[in-house]
Amino acid sequence: MNKYVALLAKVHLHPLFWLLSGLAVVTAHFKQLFLLFSIVFIHELGHAVVAQRFSWRVKRIVLLPFGGVAEMDEHGNRPFREELVVTLAGPAQHVWLAGGAFLLWKCDILSVDHWQLFFHYNLTIAVLNLLPIWPLDGGKLLFLLLTRFFPFSRAHRQMIIYSCAVLFVVIVGVFFFAPKQLDLWLIVVFLLFSLWKEWKHHPYIVMRFLLERYYGKKGQYAKWRPLTVEETETVWNVLDKFYRGQKHSIIVVKQAKERAILDENELLHAVFAEKQPNIPIGALIYR
């Protein structure tokens, strides 16, 4: 129980939350602010509690006015099912929240106005977070799905591109249908900044993914996938083809003839222990 209580110490409010809090004070929308905070808090706590259940390393929980980010010190090497359950744990909270508020209204504990306001906020936050835009839950689900079909590095780049495309549609919609909604523009700015930062950090994210494979837990692979590569390819180019959740053996060929089969740890060792990411993979055969 203590480890779950300790999650409360990791809760932080994003500057955007403080900004909208100031607007709420100026416009006397305290009730709306409290409802938003409660819904977002429970949503993110859902992610964090389930992650803790799987013994994930939860760094912090950042709350925004329209959602939040439960930051984990995990780097794409957890089992697919675990990541799926942790990601869906946030949206799942909106189901019982809606049901609980409905019962309170039926029992005359909540007024009809309060019930309608809560239902509107709860539904809005749930739908918004399921948009396929990083770092929303929908964006994380998109990334998780892409990693089933593409190497980790490529899936990450595609996720950012698809997120930008969806966000462009959202921007057009806001521009034409709600151009004066300041809160929507704040959300757009936050998502644009998050995607720019994710793109900028792409090499670092791939590096952490590979580091976790080299230093992290072993044997948690769903399947074995051989990779056939030319002996002139660099070690780093081959590592860029690694899939999450799959163990790789590297079949080195020259002029369509097999030269050797290497274990993935030999490539990881060449990069992280020997600092030789740009040598041709054929050089590893003659060691």
Side-chain angles (χ1 to χ4, degrees):
M1 179 60 71
N2 289 338
K3 66 178 182 179
Y4 297 109
V5 174
L7 290 174
L8 299 177
K10 300 181 180 182
V11 176
H12 302 271
L13 298 181
H14 191 275
L16 277 180
F17 205 106
W18 291 115
L19 176 60
L20 286 193
S21 297
L23 292 175
V25 171
V26 172
T27 58
H29 286 84
F30 303 106
K31 179 169 56 179
Q32 290 86 340
L33 178 65
F34 175 75
L35 288 177
L36 281 172
F37 177 85
S38 301
I39 295 169
V40 169
F41 176 73
I42 293 173
H43 175 111
E44 292 306 318
L45 208 59
H47 289 303
V49 168
V50 175
Q52 194 80 284
R53 178 78 174 176
F54 287 128
S55 299
W56 286 27
R57 297 159 294 184
V58 182
K59 292 172 62 179
R60 63 175 185 162
I61 305 167
V62 183
L63 301 183
L64 294 105
F66 52 87
V69 180
E71 298 181 2
M72 313 292 178
D73 196 15
E74 305 294 338
H75 307 285
N77 286 294
R78 286 288 186 167
F80 180 88
R81 175 183 167 276
E82 281 189 17
E83 290 217 20
L84 180 63
V85 172
V86 170
T87 304
L88 291 176
Q93 306 310 308
H94 298 282
V95 178
W96 74 262
L97 281 173
F102 179 77
L103 289 176
L104 292 176
W105 168 50
K106 283 297 186 180
C107 295
D108 292 327
I109 298 175
L110 278 183
S111 67
V112 64
D113 290 338
H114 286 149
W115 150 246
Q116 290 176 345
L117 184 63
F118 182 88
F119 181 81
H120 170 72
Y121 282 167
N122 189 54
L123 181 62
T124 299
I125 293 173
V127 172
L128 177 63
N129 272 279
L130 288 174
L131 289 176
I133 304 172
W134 186 270
L136 303 177
D137 293 334
K140 294 177 181 178
L141 290 172
L142 171 65
F143 182 35
L144 195 57
L145 177 64
L146 288 171
T147 60
R148 298 285 281 185
F149 303 102
F150 302 103
F152 181 89
S153 179
R154 181 180 173 187
H156 186 256
R157 288 193 298 266
Q158 288 187 331
M159 176 274 295
I160 297 173
I161 293 171
Y162 294 155
S163 293
C164 288
V166 176
L167 182 56
F168 175 77
V169 174
V170 171
I171 291 172
V172 172
V174 173
F175 181 80
F176 283 104
F177 299 106
K180 297 182 179 180
Q181 286 287 110
L182 177 61
D183 52 346
L184 293 180
W185 287 115
L186 288 174
I187 293 172
V188 166
V189 170
F190 168 77
L191 293 176
L192 281 171
F193 176 76
S194 297
L195 286 171
W196 169 80
K197 187 170 68 171
E198 196 70 14
W199 182 265
K200 181 181 178 182
H201 290 169
H202 171 77
Y204 169 78
I205 291 167
V206 175
M207 182 72 75
R208 290 300 300 265
F209 163 71
L210 295 171
L211 270 170
E212 187 78 8
R213 289 182 80 109
Y214 185 53
Y215 292 110
K217 295 180 179 179
K218 308 293 182 181
Q220 296 187 355
Y221 299 109
K223 61 184 293 188
W224 172 71
R225 177 189 288 264
L227 297 177
T228 303
V229 302
E230 290 288 337
E231 70 170 8
T232 54
E233 283 195 60
T234 66
V235 171
W236 185 258
N237 283 345
V238 178
L239 290 176
D240 209 44
K241 300 176 182 179
F242 276 25
Y243 286 72
R244 58 160 292 147
Q246 300 184 28
K247 177 73 173 178
H248 297 298
S249 59
I250 317 302
I251 303 173
V252 184
V253 299
K254 181 180 181 180
Q255 297 178 346
K257 294 183 178 180
E258 182 180 313
R259 296 292 307 279
I261 299 177
L262 301 175
D263 185 83
E264 67 171 51
N265 286 329
E266 295 181 70
L267 280 70
L268 294 168
H269 181 79
V271 172
F272 297 118
E274 300 177 356
K275 313 299 181 187
Q276 295 182 313
N278 297 316
I279 62 171
I281 194 167
L284 299 181
I285 300 175
Y286 306 106
R287 295 187 173 188

